Amino acid sequence: MTSASEIGPISQQYSAAATVPLIKSPSLWLPKPVELPNDIHPLPEDITAYFVYPFTLETHVLSLQPSPHEAIAQRRARNAQILHQREVEEEQRDQSGDETDGSQTRSTPSSRTGLQPLRAPRPQISVNGCYFPIRYGGTRRPHRGIDNERGHGGAVGRFQRRGHTDADADPGAEPGVGPDGRPGNPAGGDGESAVRARGGLERVPVHARCGGVTHATPKLGRVGPDGGQQRRFEDHSRRCDVLEHIAENTSDAHHLDRRSRTPRFTRACMLLLRSQPQHDRLWGDTTGTPRTDQPRTEISDASLSFLSLLTSLPTTYRSMATSSHPLAALLTQGLEAWDDLVSRLSALTLGQIWCAVNYHPFPRPVNLAIFAIVLVAHIPRLTRWWASRRESRRVVRFRWPVPKEVTEGWTGRPLDEPGVFAHEKDDTLLPPEAGRTGSPTRKHLTCYDPATGFHLTTLPLLTAEEVSEQILRAHNAQPKWAKTTWAQRQSFLRSLKAWVLDDMEGIVRVACRDTGKTKVDAVFGEILTTLSKIDWLLKYGEKTLSPEKRPTTMLLAHKVSKVHYQPLGTTLALVSWNYSFHNLLSPLLASLFAGNSCVIKCSEQVAWSSAWFFGGVRKCLEACGHDPEVVQLVICLPEVAETVTRNPLVRHITFIGSEPVGRKVAAAAADIMVPTCIELGGKDPAFLLPSADIDFFASTFLRGAFQSAGQNCIGIELFLVPRSLYPRFLSLITPRVSALRTGLDVGSLISHTPIPRLESILDEAVSQGARILAGGKQYHHPGFPQGAYFEPTLIVDVTMDMEVARTELFAPVMTVVPYDDVDEAVGWLKAGRFGLGGGVYGANKRECESVAERLECGMVAINDFGVFYLNQAMPFGGVKASGHGRFGGPEGLRSLCHVKAITEDRLFSLIRTPIPGAVDFPLPPDSTSWGFLRGLVRLAYDPRWWYKLLGLGEVLQNASG
């Protein structure tokens, strides 16, 4: 630190140096140029202020120090030499009788020859030894209510003058230099010679630049009778002015708490404001040792505002102590102790506090040694963290070739009657090894493309005994998998994610070939959702399943309570066919990340694609060095699946499918007492409010209704449109639905089975008054006549008593129901059987939220469609006939774990819980037990503090028994 004696007299230019030793986030230091007012010149010498913000306990030591630039000292020495030489010359002229007006001499150009401006190359602010630029002066703005005349310098400011004009200024003054070489008004004149006025007080605006905004604050300046403007601030006042500006600027520049940016709070928190002699008495020498040869300096009265608050707190209790209150004696003793504490605090100095905690703003050998010891102690932990981080980010590349059926130009054998049992009518569809797959009565499954009718393959079905063997293999592989670290599981997920990204086109082609959907629908429903699932598990899976600390009560203050999430064992997932890739991977990945093994029973409709997807997962496990037996794929018929759900090795069942099958799964799970997550069908509505912008949301409505040909769990099947928007809605939607191209814009159904039922329901609705404006029947594709297509359909004028409005169609049908009253329409939906998802559309946020809250369903999207599932941090599931339980989000991941509560001593083996004698067996014969327990209850739960004291007394009195 450079002292004042090394630089020169007080008339030098100073720069602000701020040392902030206790700031929580040094990385946020982004100092802006700090501008200090030129009005406060000369700056006080060697002053220091200590700011303590009581809520954050942050300490800021702000100090003004001489500028470290040697150029200033050299210029000052040169100017002093020139001025001394001129004084000698004036004395000689006086002795020779040459009388000259001193003021004219000072104003002649020759009197300034050779003087150099005392201006640092670039003023700087020091933050822990790092220098950043600051500025003095700046653009001046006249303070409101003060009549300022035009002054002599934009950088210095406009000074108010009495009875003088600009002609009083020194026309020959060198810009930026005062009569003694001190920096003054750059545009001519300085702070002392620019104004010649009578004595008295004048208001001079003082400006500071805080956060890019120039503020003006009136300060008092004194105009001396000697003809020069002498702004003789009191030392204390000048220190306050400078330090307030520094504090405000540095607080704003360092992004501190907003409370510390207000000047009022800054002044309230200024605990110490001392000149250098007082600083020495308080702090001692530069090593921080207090000096004992000086009397103790207490904190100033203005700095004790927070202590006065402490003194005023017990005012209410003082009145109680002087009254006839039963606890008056106890209150009196407490207040005496309080007053003694306040008196001791008011007598403390900040230097004593710092010395007591051995604090020093600069590094000491002891501090460095402590830091080194702590660092060395954490080296093993840091090493483990780094190794785990590297392992978790490891990506293992592997190759899983796509089947030939998805290559360009492939053409398969068309089936005359496509179906999963087509081989029973045409035995040529059976594989050549059918006789070697076991018993001659073994059943098979025909896999085909529903969009073209092409035969893909015929797979043998597993028997109940073979399925049980698969579950046993998964069960045996689970303990080893449960011992894997989070980093190993994350590495597996990253490797699988890399495979999805690298082979995305092949995955999409396989999904389209087995389900008949378009590529666009496959990317939306298969790729985006799966990658979202993987990313959520990577970012939040470990945090979700890590032990979670829970709060305790006062009686258990010496305990620590945590919730641990442990693997269940082997989980079973029975998934639907509409999204063959995502529905297979979603429960499998969640189960594996939780430490479980997983058995997947896929739908017989998509057995071909599921087998290929599952092979990729097993290949990834093998490439990462894990046992692929931890996952198993079951391909069987529903009658065998019922025996799978009753297997005693299964610890959790997830089901995605139809309501009738879901009821059977729930009944089977109840027999073996395992938890279930069941997601069934739905009749998701799009609730259009009168304020809805249907022109904007028209495309959203089409995507919600015809995504994957309407075979979407959360697809929009019911549109509730107000009468006021009904004509516009029909005129906007009808031509767009009619323009949809079957086979290009909308894919096929999963099979021909649902087509007769759809035509029957639509015909019944038309007979009851509904109108079909587009579609409504099976579509015969000219290129693929065996394809299972249904025309995109728009049916309007539907009422809620029709079957088409109450039954899940799972088809490309857009059902429109007009309504007159919002409350009535909400009642219709609440009376329905389903409650999976829904959407609310409108321009009024409060109205949309109100309707969303009243809908009885598991998920709602406001002014959007289905985004609640794309966000895998959200739980997915329904209510009523749409199922129960949740998968996705923390709720779904934790449902795959045992939840275990563990409580232990906070200071292990040091503080333990003894059984008090009052309640120890055998119980005391008197009422000691009752008195002890009554006091314990009062102490812990009674809201009245005096009863808590009485309870404490009873506990202490009866504790020994």
Side-chain angles (χ1 to χ4, degrees):
M1 182 180 297
T2 307
S3 63
S5 60
E6 295 174 344
I7 297 299
I10 195 172
S11 59
Q12 63 187 339
Q13 178 179 1
Y14 282 78
S15 66
T19 304
V20 186
L22 294 178
I23 289 185
K24 297 179 180 179
S25 302
S27 60
L28 296 179
W29 288 352
L30 300 173
K32 304 175 183 177
V34 178
E35 186 168 318
L36 301 180
N38 287 37
D39 302 64
I40 312 178
H41 272 293
L43 295 177
E45 187 172 351
D46 296 328
I47 63 173
T48 306
Y50 303 90
F51 296 85
V52 178
Y53 298 107
F55 298 101
T56 59
L57 296 181
E58 294 179 352
T59 302
H60 308 274
V61 183
L62 306 177
S63 61
L64 287 178
Q65 301 171 1
S67 175
H69 302 288
E70 297 181 358
I72 296 179
Q74 296 175 358
R75 295 175 183 178
R76 181 180 297 106
R78 174 62 177 168
N79 292 345
Q81 183 179 359
I82 295 175
L83 292 176
H84 176 69
Q85 183 177 357
R86 289 174 184 168
E87 290 178 357
V88 174
E89 293 177 356
E90 289 180 0
E91 291 179 359
Q92 292 177 356
R93 284 196 300 269
D94 291 340
Q95 293 176 2
S96 63
D98 183 6
E99 297 182 358
T100 305
D101 188 356
S103 61
Q104 294 178 359
T105 302
R106 285 192 298 267
S107 63
T108 57
S110 60
S111 64
R112 293 182 177 273
T113 304
L115 290 182
Q116 299 179 358
L118 298 181
R119 187 177 302 163
R122 184 182 295 273
Q124 294 177 334
I125 182 171
S126 172
V127 181
N128 287 349
C130 300
Y131 287 89
F132 301 92
I134 66 172
R135 292 196 297 268
Y136 283 87
T139 303
R140 308 295 298 236
R141 298 181 183 177
H143 188 262
R144 181 178 300 177
I146 300 178
D147 185 13
N148 291 304
E149 301 177 8
R150 192 176 71 173
H152 286 279
V156 173
R158 301 184 176 97
F159 298 110
Q160 183 178 3
R161 304 163 56 194
R162 283 186 176 178
H164 295 275
T165 62
D166 293 341
D168 295 322
D170 190 351
E174 181 179 347
V177 183
D180 56 351
R182 189 171 66 249
N185 286 354
D190 62 284
E192 296 184 8
S193 63
V195 179
R196 300 179 177 89
R198 297 185 301 272
L201 293 178
E202 290 290 341
R203 282 189 175 273
V204 180
V206 178
H207 296 257
R209 188 174 182 84
C210 301
V213 181
T214 303
H215 306 276
T217 305
K219 299 295 180 182
L220 290 180
R222 183 178 298 277
V223 180
D226 55 354
Q229 185 184 16
Q230 304 292 339
R231 292 182 304 279
R232 297 176 178 140
F233 294 99
E234 296 290 339
D235 290 343
H236 183 82
S237 176
R238 288 192 293 126
R239 296 186 189 102
C240 285
D241 291 336
V242 178
L243 290 170
E244 283 179 16
H245 286 300
I246 298 175
E248 293 170 14
N249 282 274
T250 54
S251 296
D252 183 70
H254 293 91
H255 305 282
L256 299 178
D257 191 90
R258 291 187 180 133
R259 294 169 300 187
S260 63
R261 302 182 187 179
T262 61
R264 181 178 181 183
F265 184 78
T266 302
R267 288 192 294 269
C269 294
M270 190 179 295
L271 297 184
L272 293 177
L273 186 56
R274 294 288 182 259
S275 62
Q276 186 64 37
Q278 294 169 326
H279 174 272
D280 290 339
R281 290 201 301 271
L282 178 65
W283 284 84
D285 55 17
T286 56
T287 62
T289 305
R291 298 178 59 168
T292 59
D293 56 343
Q294 298 290 346
R296 182 179 61 187
T297 303
E298 299 179 0
I299 302 177
S300 59
D301 294 337
S303 305
L304 294 177
S305 57
F306 74 103
L307 291 179
S308 63
L309 175 62
L310 297 179
T311 308
S312 62
L313 284 177
T315 303
T316 304
Y317 303 124
R318 293 182 190 277
S319 61
M320 295 173 57
T322 57
S323 63
S324 58
H325 197 277
L327 300 177
L330 182 61
L331 286 173
T332 302
Q333 296 177 2
L335 291 173
E336 291 177 356
W338 180 272
D339 293 338
D340 181 67
L341 175 62
V342 172
S343 62
R344 290 177 181 272
L345 288 176
S346 61
L348 286 176
T349 62
L350 192 60
Q352 290 174 327
I353 298 175
W354 290 139
C355 293
V357 299
N358 193 26
Y359 170 78
H360 196 274
F362 301 100
R364 281 182 169 184
V366 176
N367 297 341
L368 294 178
I370 294 175
F371 174 76
I373 293 174
V374 173
L375 181 61
V376 171
H378 282 75
I379 285 179
R381 181 181 178 183
L382 294 175
T383 303
R384 289 193 301 269
W385 172 83
W386 178 252
S388 176
R389 186 176 183 273
R390 290 189 59 185
E391 174 67 21
S392 66
R393 295 182 175 272
R394 185 173 67 101
V395 176
V396 180
R397 304 282 178 174
F398 64 94
R399 186 175 182 274
W400 185 242
V402 296
K404 67 179 186 301
E405 288 83 359
V406 299
T407 57
E408 292 288 344
W410 177 83
T411 302
R413 173 184 173 182
L415 301 178
D416 296 332
E417 299 181 8
V420 294
F421 298 112
H423 61 278
E424 295 181 354
K425 299 181 180 180
D426 186 359
D427 56 2
T428 60
L429 298 176
L430 290 171
E433 67 276 7
R436 298 191 298 271
T437 56
S439 171
T441 61
R442 175 181 292 275
K443 296 183 178 181
H444 289 74
L445 190 70
T446 301
C447 302
Y448 66 98
D449 180 1
T452 60
F454 291 165
H455 176 253
L456 298 175
T457 188
T458 302
L459 297 175
L461 296 174
L462 300 177
T463 63
E465 293 76 13
E466 292 171 335
V467 172
S468 298
E469 292 178 3
Q470 285 186 301
I471 296 177
L472 180 61
R473 289 199 297 269
H475 176 76
N476 294 334
Q478 188 272 333
K480 182 179 179 181
W481 173 258
K483 295 179 181 179
T484 57
T485 63
W486 296 119
Q488 291 174 318
R489 299 175 193 177
Q490 290 169 354
S491 176
F492 162 71
L493 290 180
R494 294 185 190 277
S495 303
L496 194 67
K497 178 182 177 180
W499 171 59
V500 175
L501 293 174
D502 294 342
D503 293 347
M504 180 176 64
E505 185 175 1
I507 294 173
V508 168
R509 287 178 179 272
V510 171
C512 293
R513 179 66 71 186
D514 209 16
T515 61
K517 62 169 60 76
T518 65
K519 288 185 177 181
V520 174
D521 292 339
V523 173
F524 272 121
E526 310 280 13
I527 303 299
L528 288 179
T529 52
T530 302
L531 292 177
S532 178
K533 181 79 171 185
I534 294 176
D535 274 359
W536 184 86
L537 289 173
L538 288 172
K539 294 179 180 178
Y540 306 105
E542 180 180 355
K543 180 180 179 181
T544 301
L545 297 183
S546 297
E548 181 182 13
K549 190 175 181 180
R550 296 292 176 88
T552 59
T553 63
M554 190 194 74
L555 295 179
L556 298 177
H558 61 294
K559 298 288 187 180
V560 175
S561 299
K562 293 183 178 180
V563 176
H564 292 248
Y565 301 94
Q566 299 180 340
L568 287 173
T570 301
T571 63
L572 173 65
L574 300 93
V575 297
S576 60
W577 47 261
N578 55 337
Y579 292 108
S580 57
F581 179 66
H582 175 72
N583 286 348
L584 183 144
L585 258 68
S586 179
L588 184 145
L589 296 180
S591 184
L592 288 179
F593 196 84
N596 303 311
S597 59
C598 187
V599 178
I600 299 291
K601 190 276 173 189
C602 66
S603 171
E604 57 273 14
Q605 298 284 354
V606 289
W608 175 78
S609 60
S610 297
W612 186 80
F613 296 145
F614 203 81
V617 175
R618 290 174 65 94
K619 184 68 175 180
C620 182
L621 284 168
E622 186 178 358
C624 294
H626 304 298
D627 187 1
E629 296 296 327
V630 74
V631 293
Q632 298 291 330
L633 178 66
V634 174
I635 302 177
C636 63
L637 294 178
E639 53 268 21
V640 177
E642 186 173 358
T643 63
V644 175
T645 57
R646 299 178 186 272
N647 193 301
L649 297 179
V650 174
R651 292 291 180 264
H652 184 277
I653 298 178
T654 299
F655 175 78
I656 305 174
S658 63
E659 182 181 353
V661 180
R663 292 182 180 276
K664 295 180 180 179
V665 172
D671 289 343
I672 58 176
M673 296 292 292
V674 297
T676 59
C677 176
I678 297 180
E679 190 266 296
L680 306 177
K683 191 72 175 178
D684 290 8
F687 200 111
L688 279 66
L689 295 172
S691 61
D693 186 357
I694 58 176
D695 294 272
F696 178 84
F697 291 114
S699 298
T700 303
F701 298 152
L702 293 177
R703 172 57 59 184
F706 300 111
Q707 163 75 22
S708 293
Q711 301 167 119
N712 190 4
C713 300
I714 55 175
I716 303 177
E717 292 209 359
L718 198 63
F719 289 83
L720 299 177
V721 183
R723 295 283 184 184
S724 58
L725 299 179
Y726 197 63
R728 174 60 182 165
F729 180 86
L730 297 183
S731 62
L732 185 67
I733 296 298
T734 302
R736 298 196 60 175
V737 174
S738 301
L740 292 177
R741 299 163 297 178
T742 306
L744 296 177
D745 299 321
V746 180
S748 71
L749 300 179
I750 191 63
S751 68
H752 292 78
T753 303
I755 293 179
R757 183 181 69 94
L758 287 174
E759 293 178 337
S760 174
I761 292 175
L762 292 176
D763 292 341
E764 180 183 357
V766 172
S767 65
Q768 295 175 352
R771 294 183 298 149
I772 296 179
L773 303 183
K777 60 182 182 299
Q778 181 181 2
Y779 175 76
H780 298 280
H781 198 285
F784 307 104
Q786 291 84 6
Y789 292 99
F790 196 85
E791 293 181 350
T793 301
L794 174 63
I795 181 170
V796 300
D797 296 345
V798 177
T799 58
M800 293 300 296
D801 57 347
M802 298 180 182
E803 185 179 1
V804 70
R806 294 182 286 107
T807 303
E808 182 184 22
L809 302 180
F810 225 58
V813 178
M814 197 172 186
T815 305
V816 183
V817 179
Y819 73 89
D820 298 304
D821 182 70
V822 173
D823 295 335
E824 181 185 13
V826 171
W828 295 343
L829 297 179
K830 295 175 69 173
R833 297 180 58 253
F834 299 103
L836 184 58
V840 180
Y841 300 84
N844 189 308
K845 180 180 179 181
R846 180 172 298 180
E847 188 179 10
C848 289
E849 292 177 345
S850 174
V851 173
E853 288 289 341
R854 295 160 62 187
L855 293 180
E856 293 181 354
C857 57
M859 304 156 292
V860 179
I862 297 179
N863 287 335
D864 213 327
F865 155 69
V867 291
F868 40 72
Y869 190 66
L870 186 60
N871 180 9
Q872 286 292 314
M874 301 287 284
F876 183 90
V879 298
K880 298 191 290 188
S882 294
H884 61 263
R886 297 293 184 268
F887 57 85
E891 296 81 1
L893 189 59
R894 290 176 175 175
S895 68
L896 299 172
C897 300
H898 284 302
V899 181
K900 180 181 294 184
I902 299 179
T903 303
E904 61 183 2
D905 293 326
R906 190 178 300 273
L907 300 176
F908 200 78
S909 297
L910 296 179
I911 299 179
R912 292 176 291 185
T913 308
I915 300 297
V919 293
D920 196 7
F921 291 113
L923 296 176
D926 53 7
S927 60
T928 303
S929 301
W930 171 251
F932 175 81
L933 294 176
R934 180 179 58 186
L936 188 65
V937 171
R938 286 179 174 177
L939 175 62
Y941 302 109
D942 200 303
R944 296 164 294 186
W945 64 269
W946 54 89
Y947 275 90
K948 288 181 179 291
L949 294 178
L950 292 176
L952 178 59
E954 288 183 308
V955 169
L956 296 177
Q957 181 180 358
N958 301 290
S960 60

